[in-house]
Amino acid sequence: IQAKTFNLIRDGTDVFGKARTGTGKTLSFTLPVVEMLLQNPNTTRGRHPRVLVMAPTRELAMQVGKEFKKIGPGLSSTCMYGGTDYGPQRNAIRFGLDAVIGTPGRLLDHLQSGNLKLDKLEHLILDEADRMLEVGFVEAIEQILDMAQEQAGKKPQMILFSATLPDFIKSTLKKYMPDHKVVDTIGQSINRTSTG
């Protein structure tokens, strides 16, 4: 999945990657996106994020956050999820961020309260999008997608990864990513597994 999506993401194309959990999807989007951020660095204090990553669980959000810090140690990123104090998250936003990673519920809280602004957003990523249904985040995701386009004044590049294609994802692709490219590695994974 990394090899098949890298150039598409790097070129700014909207991408829907269909791949199983554990196949390296996180690196598939962090590597090219971090590379693009580092080409045009911004160190202004209080800067608004250029990347927003939504993940269905706290654990996955933390995993993505660690990957961003490892690949782009010079970038400022933070992880936001429920069950923790808002204070440190607000402080990170005030200091200035290149990337925000979090669960849709907590991200929406910060957006609705005016703490988080998406007017500089360039890349919007949904990781494990099909699992968003299981944890009831569909409405929050749609609100965030609408707010992102409204605040940025243009559609950011969208990258969506999922293992399955439920109706929620089909409608998201149709509404927010009409010109996306599909990279499907599920069939290939099955073939490799079945032959050895």
Side-chain angles (χ1 to χ4, degrees):
I1 189 74
Q2 293 168 20
K4 289 178 177 291
T5 57
F6 184 88
N7 286 335
L8 289 171
I9 293 172
R10 189 68 183 74
D11 291 342
T13 305
D14 285 353
V15 175
F16 169 53
K18 193 175 177 192
R20 295 187 188 285
T21 301
T23 53
K25 295 191 299 295
T26 303
L27 195 60
S28 296
F29 60 79
T30 51
L31 199 58
V33 166
V34 164
E35 188 176 294
M36 286 187 275
L37 292 179
L38 291 174
Q39 281 193 330
N40 298 292
N42 180 359
T43 56
T44 308
R45 186 177 175 85
R47 64 192 177 278
H48 298 166
R50 294 160 62 191
V51 179
L52 178 68
V53 182
M54 287 187 268
T57 65
R58 167 186 187 151
E59 292 74 24
L60 186 56
M62 291 170 69
Q63 177 189 321
V64 174
K66 285 178 186 173
E67 202 71 39
F68 261 93
K69 288 185 185 300
K70 184 169 72 176
I71 296 171
L75 298 173
S76 178
S77 62
T78 196
C79 200
M80 301 180 175
Y81 42 80
T84 57
D85 186 22
Y86 283 87
Q89 297 172 5
R90 282 195 293 263
N91 289 338
I93 293 169
R94 278 197 291 268
F95 183 77
L97 292 164
D98 298 298
V100 175
I101 303 103
T103 54
R106 179 55 63 99
L107 291 170
L108 188 59
D109 286 348
H110 281 292
L111 284 165
Q112 290 178 332
S113 67
N115 296 327
L116 184 61
K117 305 285 186 191
L118 301 180
D119 55 315
K120 304 298 182 188
L121 197 66
E122 297 171 11
H123 314 279
L124 200 159
I125 302 156
L126 274 75
D127 196 12
E128 303 284 359
D130 48 354
R131 292 178 59 198
M132 300 286 190
L133 283 166
E134 301 169 18
V135 285
F137 279 139
V138 173
E139 188 176 331
I141 289 169
E142 290 179 342
Q143 286 181 267
I144 292 168
L145 294 177
D146 288 337
M147 291 173 85
Q149 290 192 23
E150 182 181 323
Q151 289 186 21
K154 60 180 177 59
K155 192 185 83 58
Q157 178 189 27
M158 287 191 58
I159 303 161
L160 192 154
F161 281 103
S162 179
T164 60
L165 191 58
D167 288 342
F168 153 64
I169 293 177
K170 289 178 184 174
S171 63
T172 300
L173 292 171
K174 184 176 180 181
K175 182 175 180 182
Y176 299 100
M177 302 168 62
D179 300 317
H180 67 279
K181 297 288 185 187
V182 178
V183 177
D184 185 347
T185 63
I186 298 273
Q188 295 172 355
S189 297
I190 292 170
N191 290 338
R192 280 201 300 272
T193 302
S194 64
T195 55

